[in-house]
């Protein structure tokens, strides 16, 4: 029998020597060597059975492992996840907000947030992130916007915020927590990309430190745990824990992988024991790299120099966003050149930027390879000083007619976009950057939506709800 999937994974390893993306372990055996974990995978591949405890009713070894994690992070309780941060986010939302109730969320929230709204019949109240119109990237959320949303929607059950956003930028989570709790609402922090924040003083503060109610970590992203491992931390008494655990059980596999759970424990052991040195050296290497980038003509690092602008209060130094707008190059092109010519795969690219994720698993060699590659690419490119605006601001919030669940249950038809004005969309159309929906299912198509669709998507037809 052919094994196309297995082959593609092995080929990937041959083609890409430098993995500048998640998972955080970057296949570095060195990190695991004191435990031997990487050599025992088949032996450890168990699920809930007598002797190894139960994910949904932990009483012994798993309970103890979770208690160790809670102590490490300073949470009241920490619950391990096997279906990624997505599942922690979905269960959190479903435990806090019910059918027909409201949740305040950023317009550019992760798709797990929208999936939970759809499943639970929740009505979203959107807040807009600020956008850096030079680079096209969606940045922070102004705490005053959250306050406005809370006063205008007093029945909202809570607020969900991503911390950091996908590019590593953080809003003022401390101010946001104070505001949300002033109104006695629940704050859910999607900290999928911030499970490492706790381990270095130069990293932003975590939602746990500011007393957020629920904080979700995707530990496979920035810590050396296996893909799909995560933690849901409970910090307060504002949430019905029974409901939360009920949804976690409903949404996750009934055969949770103990390899994932154990990898999570091992990752925490590594950072608890050696994290200071590992993160110090990561910080040093990245700082040197960024200094070197400053000397390359036409290349700009989006960095903590943005703190204080666009409602940004913190930046994750391990994410390196490089902007190529002054060169005659798109981010997509740089991503392809890095992969094809240098064996370097970055986390993502957009028209203007690439995002490289460094972790404690990256050796010095990786930094010099990345620097040499970017230097060469920039030297070959032409300086054009294109400061052109990548985002057709101002962005726009269309009228919400149906909740995501109501929209899902309606019939739809596909029509020519020229006839769409005034109709309610049955689909979601986004643009990247800024990584935000132009219209979501259940919202009314208006003049501005049509303008944005024209600028970004060249949409000929659109699915609309039959009314
Ligand atoms: C901000 C944010 N939240 C949630 C998630 C979902 O995390 P996971 O892939 O672990 O389910 C991601 C994934 O990239 C993310 O970037």
């Amino acid at each position: 029998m052919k094994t196309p999937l297995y082959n593609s994974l092995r080929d990937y390893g041959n083609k890409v020597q430098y993995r500048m993306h998640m998972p955080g372990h970057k296949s570095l055996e060195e990190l695991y060597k004191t435990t031997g974990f990487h050599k025992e995978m088949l032996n450890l591949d168990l699920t809930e059975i007598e002797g190894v405890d139960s994910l949904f009713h932990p009483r012994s070894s798993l309970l103890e492992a979770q208690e160790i994690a809670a102590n490490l992070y300073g949470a009241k309780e920490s619950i391990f996840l096997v279906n990624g941060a997505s599942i922690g986010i979905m269960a959190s939302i479903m435990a806090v907000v019910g059918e027909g109730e409201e949740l305040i969320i950023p317009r550019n929230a992760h798709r797990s947030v929208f999936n939970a709204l759809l499943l639970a019949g929740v009505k979203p109240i959107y807040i807009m992130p600020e956008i850096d119109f030079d680079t096209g990237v969606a940045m922070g959320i102004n705490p005053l916007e959250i306050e406005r949303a809370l006063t205008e929607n007093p029945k909202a059950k809570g607020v969900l915020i991503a911390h950091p956003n996908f590019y590593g930028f953080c809003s003022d989570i401390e101010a946001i927590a104070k505001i949300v709790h002033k109104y006695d609402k629940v704050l859910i922090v999607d900290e999928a990309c911030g499970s490492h924040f706790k381990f270095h003083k130069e990293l932003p503060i975590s939602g746990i430190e500011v007393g957020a109610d629920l904080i979700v970590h995707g530990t496979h992203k920035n810590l050396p745990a296996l893909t799909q491992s995560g933690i849901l931390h409970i910090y307060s008494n504002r949430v019905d824990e029974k409901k939360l655990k009920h949804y976690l059980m409903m949404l996750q596999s009934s055969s949770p992988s103990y390899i994932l759970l154990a990898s999570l424990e091992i990752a925490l052991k590594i950072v608890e024991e050696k994290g200071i040195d590992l993160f110090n050296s990561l910080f040093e290497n990245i700082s040197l790299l960024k200094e070197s980038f400053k000397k390359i003509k036409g290349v700009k690092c989006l960095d903590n120099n943005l703190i204080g602008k666009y409602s940004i209060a913190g930046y994750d130094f391990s994410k390196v966003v490089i902007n190529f707008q002054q060169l005659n190059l798109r981010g997509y092109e740089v991503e392809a050149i890095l992969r094809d010519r240098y064996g370097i795969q970055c986390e993502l690219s957009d028209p203007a930027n690439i995002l490289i994720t460094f972790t404690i698993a990256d050796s010095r060699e990786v930094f010099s390879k990345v620097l040499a590659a970017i230097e060469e690419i920039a030297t070959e490119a032409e300086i054009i000083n294109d400061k052109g605006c990548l985002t057709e601001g101002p962005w726009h919030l269309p009228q919400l007619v149906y909740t995501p669940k109501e929209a899902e249950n309606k019939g739809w038809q596909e029509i020519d976009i020229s006839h769409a004005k005034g109709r309610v969309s049955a689909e979601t159309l986004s643009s990247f950057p800024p990584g935000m929906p132009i219209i979501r299912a259940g919202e009314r198509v208006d003049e501005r939506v049509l303008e944005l669709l024209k600028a970004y998507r060249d949409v000929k037809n659109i699915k609309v709800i039959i009314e």
Side-chain angles (χ1 to χ4, degrees), residues 8-69:
S8 70
L9 292 173
R10 303 200 74 185
D11 285 352
Y12 185 83
N14 293 333
K15 271 194 273 189
V16 174
Q17 290 136 278
Y18 305 101
R19 301 180 179 195
M20 308 321 297
H21 54 79
M22 59 183 93
H25 58 72
K26 311 246 176 144
S27 79
L28 184 73
E29 287 190 14
E30 177 78 13
L31 275 178
Y32 293 125
K33 95 174 174 234
T34 50
T35 63
F37 171 69
H38 60 295
K39 294 196 180 133
E40 296 179 280
M41 296 278 183
L42 287 181
N43 198 25
L44 301 178
D45 186 18
L46 292 166
T47 187
E48 296 181 333
I49 193 115
E50 195 53 39
V52 293
D53 211 357
S54 147
L55 179 59
F56 304 116
H57 302 100
R59 286 191 190 91
S60 54
S61 55
L62 184 60
L63 182 65
E64 194 182 345
Q66 293 187 154
E67 282 169 359
I68 292 170

Side-chain angles (χ1 to χ4, degrees), residues 22 83-87 89 108-113 162-166 190-193 217-221 228-230 319 347:
M22 59 183 93
N83 292 73
S86 295
I87 235 60
I89 292 168
N108 60 340
H110 184 258
R111 81 182 130 113
S112 55
V113 175
H163 181 78
N165 69 13
F166 203 70
D190 167 2
E191 217 167 272
C193 303
H217 281 158
T219 41
H220 60 108
K221 294 179 192 297
Q228 285 193 18
S229 59
K319 294 226 166 174
E347 181 86 51

Side-chain angles (χ1 to χ4, degrees), residues 295-313:
K295 295 178 199 140
I296 308 178
K297 261 197 157 161
V299 163
K300 185 171 86 176
C301 250
L302 308 193
D303 205 325
N304 44 11
N305 48 17
L306 285 166
I307 292 176
K309 295 181 192 159
Y310 307 112
S311 294
I312 296 167

